[in-house]
Amino acid sequence: PCPNCAERDSPWKGYGGLASLSSLKVRHTGHMIDFTFPPEVEDVRLRVRSFMDDEVRPRWESIDQNDRKQVVKAIVELRKKARDEAKLWLPHMPSEWGGMGLGPTAMAAVSAEAAKVSIGPFVLNAQAPDEGNQHTLLHWATPEQKEKYLRPLCEGTARSCFAMTEPEVAGSDPTLIRTHAYEDGDEWVINGHKWFISGARGAQFALLVARTEENPDIPQAANSCFIVDIPTEGFNIVRDIETMSGSHNHCEIEIKDLRVHKSQMLGGRGQGHLLGQYRLGPARLAHCMRWIGQAESALDMMVDRALNRYSHGSLLAEKQGIQWLIADSAMELYQCKLMVLHAAFKIERGLPFTSEVSMAKHFVANSLWQIVDRAIQIHGALGYSNDTPLAHMLQQARWSRFADGADEIHQMRIAQRTIAAFKDHGSTKSATGDLPL
């Protein structure tokens, strides 16, 4: 029997749902592996595609996308359709929380389809940072915390943010966090500084990571996580940080004498780092799933342009230099899909997945940037303008190479794991997917 097909008691069962709706089908006939989704997952994928094509994209293209009121109104109305009519609501959460119970591999299919329209994930209530916070609360919250915070998040009546990154220390090393909390009776008093806290403006609560332990046994046991109601005294939004693609609710926050009751701690003391890694590991892969949808849209636009643009005696599609750009993009997108599906497969099977997710995050982020950039090149001045979505896609793609871990951090970890694998086993096999090849 294949060890990858054996049932396992996975600690990630809560990070998905029904096994029948989560697994990439891996049927063994001799030595053949069939990479297909079960019929029910393929049905969901196609329903998401149709919903995006028939409802979401036409509505999105009909409004002024720079008018926040129009954007919010469109999302609210489309969410009602997704939930009540299309039955495509909260795909990543268990049915007892109103979700569809899809696991990581099924979510790869759903997210890639939804992300072909920029508001697609929001319409399904599967957008960052709420998606990651929903999983975190499901796994770590007390029953009382779940009812107060997870329930409205799943119902779409509340929004949240995850406050960990700080300007004074490297965001890729949470052990350096300076935001500090000390006990005062039944409360914790928190002081510190956060920034690039996505979704903070308008959120009803934040998951806030702060240092609570002065001399932990290991550096990773210094932080704890608190649920902070917003607005509240001491939690002050300073500004929405302007990025190269404009303002997108990435906030700088000053935390001054913020008082939080002990019952608001999420998880135990010193478990903030563990909680953060639990959240960020699969969340990195969720980003990759959405990036694949964007990259595929860019490749489609690239080929369409090449087939319709005539220059110097022939269509662009007939020119070798353009064919190379298309070929490189197709190969990279193929690799992206395989890496994401394999990492998702390992997560839901309870197999070690950290290295695979790290490699996928690095590779997909860089591929997204390259594929969109090539699409702009083939479109020429049109691609550089705002008459197509490509310019905005490239602006958004740039942050992918440092969000949830900079390229260089992932490369360092991948190298460390590869060296360790060779030292332990005399082979690097386990560090390259541990595949049966």
Side-chain angles (χ1 to χ4, degrees):
C2 172
N4 288 342
C5 294
E7 291 297 324
R8 285 175 168 80
D9 185 17
S10 169
W12 295 93
K13 281 184 177 178
Y15 206 95
L18 304 177
S20 63
L21 291 180
S22 63
S23 295
L24 180 68
K25 196 179 296 181
V26 184
R27 294 195 304 268
H28 288 253
T29 306
H31 296 292
M32 299 299 292
I33 301 177
D34 177 15
F35 287 96
T36 61
F37 288 115
E40 60 270 28
V41 173
E42 183 65 6
D43 174 69
V44 172
R45 184 182 73 84
L46 294 177
R47 286 199 293 121
V48 172
R49 172 180 288 186
S50 296
F51 185 65
M52 294 298 144
D53 288 343
D54 299 340
E55 299 287 348
V56 181
R57 183 176 288 105
R59 181 61 190 282
W60 179 237
E61 293 178 349
S62 71
I63 67 172
D64 180 355
Q65 297 168 13
N66 296 313
D67 186 328
R68 186 175 182 277
K69 288 184 178 180
Q70 289 191 45
V71 172
V72 171
K73 185 174 186 290
I75 291 175
V76 169
E77 293 176 359
L78 288 167
R79 277 187 158 198
K80 182 174 176 58
K81 287 188 176 184
R83 184 173 188 171
D84 299 338
E85 299 175 22
K87 308 300 181 185
L88 294 172
W89 182 254
L90 207 65
H92 54 287
M93 290 293 284
S95 57
E96 59 265 32
W97 289 95
M100 298 172 66
L102 303 186
T105 51
M107 278 304 299
V110 168
S111 297
E113 294 293 347
K116 290 177 182 177
V117 187
S118 59
I119 60 170
F122 288 88
V123 171
L124 305 185
N125 197 11
Q127 72 286 343
D130 292 328
E131 180 193 21
N133 287 347
Q134 287 162 354
H135 288 305
T136 303
L137 290 166
L138 180 67
H139 183 78
W140 294 87
T142 65
E144 294 76 17
Q145 290 172 339
K146 288 179 182 178
E147 284 302 317
K148 184 176 179 180
Y149 298 103
L150 180 57
R151 183 72 65 187
L153 208 57
C154 291
E155 292 176 350
T157 59
R159 288 182 32 235
S160 64
C161 61
F162 188 75
M164 184 173 71
T165 304
E166 299 180 359
E168 292 84 7
V169 295
S172 56
D173 188 354
T175 65
L176 301 177
I177 282 177
R178 294 182 183 179
T179 296
H180 180 263
Y182 65 89
E183 287 183 280
D184 184 19
D186 290 333
E187 295 179 318
W188 287 89
V189 182
I190 309 175
N191 286 278
H193 190 194
K194 302 289 184 180
W195 77 338
F196 282 100
I197 307 308
S198 301
R201 196 181 299 278
Q204 279 68 54
F205 67 91
L207 302 187
L208 172 65
V209 180
R211 185 179 185 91
T212 58
E213 315 304 312
E214 289 304 325
N215 296 297
D217 292 335
I218 55 174
Q220 290 78 11
N223 301 327
S224 301
C225 185
F226 301 89
I227 308 175
V228 180
D229 291 303
I230 305 173
T232 190
E233 186 177 356
F235 189 93
N236 306 309
I237 296 178
V238 178
R239 59 173 175 142
D240 181 0
I241 300 171
E242 187 87 6
T243 70
M244 64 183 286
S245 63
S247 299
H248 301 285
N249 200 4
H250 303 305
C251 296
E252 179 180 1
I253 298 168
E254 179 190 47
I255 302 159
K256 189 173 182 179
D257 295 331
L258 169 66
R259 289 186 171 270
V260 180
H261 193 270
K262 285 183 176 180
S263 62
Q264 295 295 96
M265 182 177 283
L266 182 62
R269 286 186 61 160
Q271 292 188 333
H273 187 94
L274 182 65
L275 180 150
Q277 292 306 305
Y278 174 93
R279 181 188 184 281
L280 290 173
R284 292 184 179 109
L285 198 65
H287 276 314
C288 293
M289 295 170 184
R290 292 185 283 264
W291 293 336
I292 283 175
Q294 291 284 295
E296 189 162 69
S297 294
L299 179 56
D300 288 348
M301 293 177 66
M302 186 190 312
V303 175
D304 182 67
R305 176 70 168 181
L307 287 170
N308 288 283
R309 193 66 166 178
Y310 186 90
S311 175
H312 292 83
S314 66
L315 293 171
L316 294 183
E318 298 171 356
K319 301 182 185 299
Q320 187 181 61
I322 300 300
Q323 292 172 352
W324 286 346
L325 298 181
I326 293 171
D328 287 345
S329 299
M331 289 187 288
E332 288 165 9
L333 185 55
Y334 176 44
Q335 294 173 79
C336 289
K337 291 180 177 182
L338 289 177
M339 294 176 82
V340 166
L341 287 172
H342 183 235
F345 174 84
K346 295 196 78 171
I347 289 175
E348 65 189 29
R349 290 286 172 160
L351 301 168
F353 64 86
T354 303
S355 187
E356 287 75 15
V357 168
S358 190
M359 287 189 283
K361 194 275 169 182
H362 180 281
F363 188 83
V364 178
N366 280 268
S367 296
L368 173 65
W369 172 263
Q370 291 165 357
I371 293 170
V372 175
D373 183 68
R374 293 183 193 120
I376 290 176
Q377 188 69 17
I378 290 178
H379 279 74
L382 175 62
Y384 189 65
S385 75
N386 285 327
D387 286 2
T388 79
L390 290 170
H392 182 67
M393 287 167 64
L394 191 69
Q395 289 174 317
Q396 290 295 313
R398 187 58 187 87
W399 70 269
S400 66
R401 291 183 51 208
F402 52 77
D404 288 352
D407 280 354
E408 294 74 19
I409 299 299
H410 286 290
Q411 288 175 298
M412 178 179 71
R413 296 301 186 203
I414 292 165
Q416 290 172 343
R417 295 185 190 106
T418 305
I419 293 168
F422 186 83
K423 285 182 176 179
D424 292 343
H425 309 295
S427 167
T428 58
K429 178 181 176 61
S430 63
T432 57
D434 204 19
L435 293 160
L437 295 175

